[in-house]
Amino acid sequence: MTRALWLSLLLVCALAGVARAEPLAVWHAYRGDEKAALEEVLAAFEKKEAVKVEALQVPHDAYAAKLTAAVPRGHGPDVFIDSHERIGDLEERGVVAVLPRESAAAGEFPQAALDALASPQGLRGLPLALKCLALYVNETLVPTLPPTLEGIAALGPGLPRGVVPLAYETRNMYFHAALLHAFGGAQLAPDGSLGFRGEPGVRSLELVQRLMRDGAVPEEAPGAVVGELFKTGKAATVISGPWFASDVGQSVRYRVVPLPRIEAAGAPMRPYLTVEAATLTPKGSRNPAASRLLAFIAGEESAEIRAKVGRQVVARTKLPPSAQGDPFLSAFAAQAAVAVPMPSSPRMRTTWEPAERALKKTLSGTVSAEAALTEAQRRFDDVVRPAPRARSPNAAIAVLGVLALAGAFWLFRRIQSGELGPALRRSLPAYGWVTHAVVAVGALVILPIAVGAGTSLFAGRQGQMHYVGLANFADILSARGAPLLSNGSFYLVLLVTLLWTVANLSLHVGIGFALGLVLSRPTMRLKPLYRVLLIIPWAVPSYVTALAWKGMFSRQFGAVSAIVEALGVEPFSWWARFPTAFSANLATNVWLGFPFMMVVTLGALTSVPKEVLEAAEVDGATRWQRLWRVTVPMVVPTMLPAVLLGAIWTFNQFNVVFLVSGGEPDGTTDILVSEAYRWAFTRQAQYGYAAAYAVLIFLLLFVSSRLMSRVGRTKEAT
Amino acid sequence: MNERRVSVLESVLSHVAVLLAVAFSLYPVLWVISTAFSAGSAPERRVLPIPSHLTWEHVATFSGGQHVLSQTVSSLVVSVATALVGIAIALPAAYALSRMSFVGKDAGVRLLLATQMFPMVASAVPLYIVLETLGLLDTRTGLVVCYATTSVPFAIFQLRGAFDTIPKDLEEAAMVDGATRLGAFLRVVLPAARPAIAVTGLFAFMSAYNEFILAATILGKEEALTLPVVLQRYVGEHDAAWGVFAAGSILVSVPVMLLFYLVQRNLVAGLTAGGVKG
C-alpha cells in the first residue's frame, strides 16, 4: 500500500514540474536589512523585465553543502551570492560560470574588489559589497578617542567601574589577523606556508596577553557577549563588522572609525577584506535573463537600494547618493580601502585550524607564544603534505574479481548440496514481510554508505581525486609517521573516544534507568508533569542548548563559574585543560542524552507484567530482590538494542564536541568522528582521508559489537 | 505501620531525586528562555537566569516570519509522515525478524546494525544523486523518504524487541481460530505492541523534526522549509540573532512536548495492558 502511495506522489511531483517555465532563482544567506534590500532589488528587476525572480535564503551553515550538491548536477539557482574567498573553491567544484573580464565595465568597480574575484579565465562574479572590521566607539563613554590601541587600552581608569576599554573576539583568528597584519605578519605566507610565526606572530600574541592581563579586554567573549557589553554600555569600544550595527540598534550613541594604530608595531591594524559577490551558475549562464539579473544586482540602481536599505558598503567606484556623506558607510569604506584582501586559495582555508589553536592555547596561558606557533607550523605542514601518489586500480579489481568468483562458487556448492533450494522455499513467506524494508534501506541508507566508503580509496580534493589504494589507511594507522601516541594521532584520539563513550553511556543509562524506575512507581504523583519536564533537554533543538552550555562554562560570564564561585572556588578557564574541557563536553552530552534512555526504560518497563512482580512479592521477595531478580532481567533484552545503538551514536556524536569545547585544548577533546569532519571540511577538503576515518570507525564498532554479542551469547549458554 | 513509614520515606526520596533531575534538565533551558525574552542585559556572572528587561520582540520576530505558518505545517507534515512511513516499513520487517526464520536473517540484522555505525561524513552527495534519480529533489516527499528510511533500522530494533516480549500463544490461538498470519498480526500483535509503536514513532518524529542540514539541502521552496531550517537562518557567518534564535527554539519545541504528553498516556496504558495479557 505504501508503494502505491509513493508512486502516486511521484506522479504528482512530476506533473507539477512541467507546468510552466521556471522563474529565475537567486540563493543567498542574507538576514535582516540586507535581505530586505535584496528583495527590493529583485522586485525592481521583476518590474523592469517582466521576469519572475524567486529568492531563497539558505542557512549559512548549509549554504556550501547545498550549492555543491545541487549546482554541478544542473539544479539550483541561476545566481547566488557569496564571499570571494569561498567562490574560488566553488569554482573548482563546478558551481561557478566564469564571466568574461569585459562584463565589468571599466571604472565601475574598485580594482581591489575585481582582483579578489579574478580567476585565470576571467571573473568569478560581480562585486556587491565590502566587509571588514572597524572600531565602534561609544561616544558617551569616549568623547575623544586616543589614536592608538595602547591609548584605548589605557582608558580604563577614566571609565566608570565595570566598563572595559575594548571588547572583541580575542580567540577568533579573523579578529587577531588585524593585529598580526599591523606587526607585518600574514596568516598565509606568500610561499604558501603558514605565516603566523616568527616575530610578528609572537609580538601580536604577547600584545593581546598584555591587554588581557591589564583588564583592557575581556578574556572569553564570544560575539553575543561582545554585543551585550556594548549595548549595555559596559564596553567603551568594540571591534566588529558592519553586521554589528543592526544588533546595537539605538541602544547607545556610537560612531564608527577605522581601526587604530598599534604603537608597538608602528603601523595601523589592518583587518581582512572580504568581497561579497553575485555569481552566475553554469545553468544561469545559459539564460540571458540571468546575466541581465546579475548585472542589475551589481548595478547602480541596486547599489542605492543596498546602501540605503541594507546598509551595505557597496563595492562601487562611485558611491551611491545615500552612501555619500553617511558617516557609518564612509568609515567602513575608508577601512576597506586599506584592508587586506583575504586570500582565496585552498591553502588559506587550511591555515585557520592550526592558527586558531595556537591563538587559543597562548591566550589560555598554558604555553608560550613561541611553543604554540611552532606546534601550529608542524600541524599545518603535516596537513598540506602532498597526497599519496596515484596507483593502478588493477590490484583492487583483481581482488574484487576473486571475491566474486569465490562467492559464486560458494553459492553453486550450496545449491548443489540441495540445502539452499528448500531453505529458500521455506523462507519465501518471510521475504514478503521484509522486501520493502530491504529495498528502502538498501537504496537510501546502504548505497550512499557504500559509495562513501569507496571514496576512502581515493585522495586529493573533490573533483580531482585519484585512486591511491590503501594509502589513506596506512597513513592513519601509522599516525602519519609521528610517534603513535602523539597529539592528534589516531590511537590517542581513539583512547579519548573510548573514554568519551564509556563515560557517557554509563551516565546515560544510569540516570535514565533510575529515573524511569522512579517514574513508573504506581504510587508516584505528578508523573505526567515530571516526565514532560524531564524530556525537555531532548525536545529543544540541541544546537541552541549546546551553545547555552558553552556560555555557561565561560570563566568570566558563565553561570557554572558563578556557581563555582558561590562554592568558594576561584573561577577558572574550562577550556585550558583536558579534564575540565572533557567534563564540560560530558556534562552537556549527558544532559542531552539521558531523556532518551529514560523513555526507553519507560517503554521497556511496560513489558514487565504486573502479575510476575506480584507473584514475587507473594513469594516474599524484597523490593530490592524484585528489582534485580525480576525487573532487570526482563527489561534488559528490550533495552539492549537501544543501549547498543546509544553506544554507537555516542561514539559518533560530534555536535557536542564541535559546539562546546571545539576540540580545545589543542584538539585533545576531539573524538574520531570530529577528526574525520575536520579532514573533510577544514583540512584541504580531503574527503578520501575523511572517508578512511569513517571506514575505520565503522570497522572498530562492527568488530566490537560482534565481540560483545558473542560474549553475551556464551554467557547465556552457560 | 513500619511499612507505611518506609513507603513515605521512599516517596519523599523519589520526589527529591526527580526534582534534582528536573532542575538539572531545566537549568540550561532557563538560560535559553532568558535569552529569548531579554532585551539585553549586561553579561556578568550570575547564578539565576533572570533577564533584567523583558521583551516580546524576539518571539514576535520569529512568529512574524513571512511563511512561518506554512513552514510549521510543513514541519509537522514531514515529521508525522516520517513517523508513519518509518513505522509502516519497520513493522512487518520487525515482525518477520521476531517470529520467522529465513535465509539471510542473521546477515540482515547485522547489516542493519552496521548502517548505524558509519559516520555520514561522505554520504550526502550520493544520497542527493539517489533522490535525483527518483525525481524527489526539492520535494517534501523526498525528505520524508530520506528521514523515514534512516529511521527504519532503529525502529526495526525497537519493534523487534517489543514483539519478542509478546507471547506467541496469542497469535497462534488466533490462527487456530482461522485467522491468517496477517490477520493475527494486525488484530492481535499490533494492539499488544501499541506502547512500543508509540515510542518508536516518537523517536522517528523527533529525528525528523530537529534535522536541518539535509532539509536545507533538499528543500528549495520558501513555504516548504521546515522549522529547523528557518531557525538556523538566524545564525549568520559573523553574527547571529541569538534572541530570535532562542525564542524560535522554545516555540519549535512546544509541539514535541505536547506530542510526548500524548504518547506517555500510551505508555501508561501499555503498563496496564501488559498486566491483562501476562
Side-chain angles (χ1 to χ4, degrees), chain A residues 20 23-27 42 46 52-56, chain B residues 220-221:
Chain A
R20 65 196 158 82
L24 288 174
V26 178
W27 285 2
L42 297 180
E46 280 184 325
K52 195 141 174 43
V53 185
E54 258 175 24
L56 181 69
Chain B
K221 291 269 179 299

Side-chain angles (χ1 to χ4, degrees), chain A residues 10 31 57 66 69-70 75 86 228 427 431 436 521 528 530-531 538 555-556 565 591 611 645 706, chain B residues 10 14-15 24 40-41 45 89 103 110 116 128 132 134 154 203 216 219 233 237 239 242 264 275:
Chain A
L10 242 167
R31 304 187 293 115
Q57 181 202 354
K66 189 170 171 72
H75 303 282
R86 280 190 293 267
E228 293 297 312
S427 309
Y431 288 153
H436 57 291
R521 290 175 61 235
Y530 282 146
R531 286 198 194 119
W538 188 27
R555 186 210 306 214
Q556 270 182 302
E565 198 179 24
W591 181 84
E611 280 77 3
L645 286 169
R706 293 291 295 149
Chain B
E10 195 191 273
S14 312
H15 279 277
F24 174 57
S41 51
R45 274 201 291 273
I89 297 177
V103 177
R110 245 172 273 153
Q116 302 296 298
Y128 190 89
E132 187 185 26
L134 295 173
F154 176 68
F203 289 145
L219 297 176
R233 297 197 300 189
E237 181 182 8
D239 66 332
W242 289 119
Q264 69 164 352

